[in-house]
């Protein structure tokens, strides 16, 4: 199952896109504003973006330019009602991987998004982030310590990626839920507790010295045995 971010302020079109992509195993988190999408991107590792140019708080290309300036190579499809050559060129120059003018056939939208998801994401593959004695391999759904490895479910990987990036810092409960299941899924009250329990068990199984610490009333932190002050 893949998860993408859709920046689209037209509610009916966004709903149709979600319905069109769901049978292809693609979950969509929908945002109608650039600032909300930026916040989500800080919390979740999406596999691709679909961006509408005309949204209430500006041109969707500004979000794409910001990501590319930060060396974020996440695949991106730009939607627009504009079909002039200079508009297509502007989108591609901003760093778009593909361009689809409205109106479009939903079959074509699904095909374009699936093609984007098949492209290697330079950002994800280059990262394989390490922290302490562990290495995360998102492309293989693996966590490794020395010569031992465990497979992580998608939600577990996304949660651990956030904790690794914020190593030593407290990450709020809501941010970890968003990382694991996005903003469109209904999360059961104990889903995060279950996922963290499984991650802790897998850390122990591979012999890692890292721990996920519960900072009561605030959130969780990944750290060595020393407590967070």
């Amino acid at each position: 199952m893949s998860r993408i971010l859709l920046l689209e302020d037209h509610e009916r079109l966004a709903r149709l896109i979600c319905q069109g992509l769901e049978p292809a195993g693609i979950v969509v988190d929908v945002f109608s504003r650039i600032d909300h999408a930026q916040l989500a991107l800080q919390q979740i590792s999406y596999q691709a973006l679909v961006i509408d140019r005309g949204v209430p708080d500006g041109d969707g290309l500004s979000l794409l330019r910001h990501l590319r300036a930060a060396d974020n190579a996440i695949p991106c499809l730009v939607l627009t009602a504009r079909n002039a050559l200079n508009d297509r060129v502007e989108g591609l120059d901003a760093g778009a991987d593909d361009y689809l003018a409205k109106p479009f056939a939903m079959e074509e939208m699904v095909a374009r998004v699936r093609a984007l998801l098949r492209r290697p994401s330079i950002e994800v593959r280059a990262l394989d982030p390490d922290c302490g004695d562990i290495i995360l391999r998102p492309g293989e759904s693996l966590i490794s310590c020395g010569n031992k490895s465990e497979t992580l479910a998608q939600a577990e990987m996304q949660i651990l990626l956030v904790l690794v990036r914020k190593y030593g810092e407290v990450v709020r409960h809501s941010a970890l839920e968003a990382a694991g299941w996005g903003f469109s899924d209904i999360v059961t009250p104990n889903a995060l507790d279950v996922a963290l329990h499984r991650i802790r068990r897998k850390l122990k199984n591979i012999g890692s010295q890292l721990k996920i610490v519960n900072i009561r009333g605030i959130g969780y932190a990944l750290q060595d045995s020393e407590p967070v002050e």
Side-chain angles (χ1 to χ4, degrees):
M1 179 88 51
S2 299
R3 183 177 295 276
I4 71 168
L5 182 149
L6 171 62
L7 177 62
E8 172 59 68
D9 67 322
H10 192 291
E11 185 176 344
R12 181 173 180 274
L13 177 58
R15 184 169 61 253
L16 289 173
I17 291 174
C18 292
Q19 292 171 350
L21 292 173
E22 183 178 6
I26 302 169
V27 178
V28 184
D29 287 343
V30 182
F31 300 91
S32 60
R33 295 180 55 88
I34 295 169
D35 53 355
H36 295 167
Q38 286 177 321
L39 179 61
L41 283 161
Q42 293 170 12
Q43 301 180 49
I44 299 176
S45 296
Y46 290 101
Q47 282 74 57
L49 306 179
V50 178
I51 293 177
D52 185 10
R53 290 199 60 175
V55 290
D57 57 337
D59 186 339
L61 287 185
S62 64
L63 172 62
L64 181 58
R65 292 190 181 100
H66 173 78
L67 292 171
R68 296 302 188 242
D71 294 325
N72 187 326
I74 184 171
C76 179
L77 170 69
V78 172
L79 301 178
T80 182
R82 310 170 192 178
N83 55 15
L85 175 60
N86 62 314
D87 288 319
R88 296 198 297 272
V89 171
E90 187 177 5
L92 296 172
D93 284 346
D97 297 278
D98 201 357
Y99 198 98
L100 187 59
K102 303 176 189 176
F104 51 81
M106 191 54 62
E107 292 81 0
E108 182 176 9
M109 154 67 72
V110 174
R112 297 284 188 97
V113 172
R114 293 177 75 172
L116 280 185
L117 292 171
R118 289 194 294 269
R119 298 185 184 186
S121 171
I122 296 172
E123 181 198 28
V124 171
R125 290 178 179 263
L127 274 178
D128 279 354
D130 61 273
C131 179
D133 55 9
I134 66 170
I135 298 175
L136 296 180
R137 295 185 171 89
E140 303 170 68
S141 301
L142 289 177
I143 177 175
S144 301
C145 178
N147 60 358
K148 295 182 179 180
S149 297
E150 284 274 347
T151 300
L152 294 177
Q154 182 180 9
E156 295 166 4
M157 177 62 77
Q158 297 304 321
I159 290 167
L160 197 48
L161 279 169
V162 172
L163 290 170
V164 164
R165 290 169 185 151
K166 299 288 187 180
Y167 176 72
E169 300 179 25
V170 180
V171 183
R172 292 190 176 277
H173 186 283
S174 58
L176 291 177
E177 280 190 337
W181 297 277
F183 295 90
S184 59
D185 289 356
I186 298 175
V187 182
T188 58
N190 65 340
L192 181 60
D193 290 337
V194 172
L196 290 171
H197 173 76
R198 290 174 177 167
I199 295 170
R200 288 183 174 116
R201 186 183 69 232
K202 291 173 183 180
L203 286 170
K204 182 178 180 180
N205 289 347
I206 61 176
S208 174
Q209 298 302 306
L210 293 177
K211 300 181 183 298
I212 299 175
V213 180
N214 183 3
I215 312 302
R216 192 174 299 277
I218 304 177
Y220 298 87
L222 181 67
Q223 58 181 57
D224 289 316
S225 56
E226 293 299 322
V228 174
E229 296 296 336

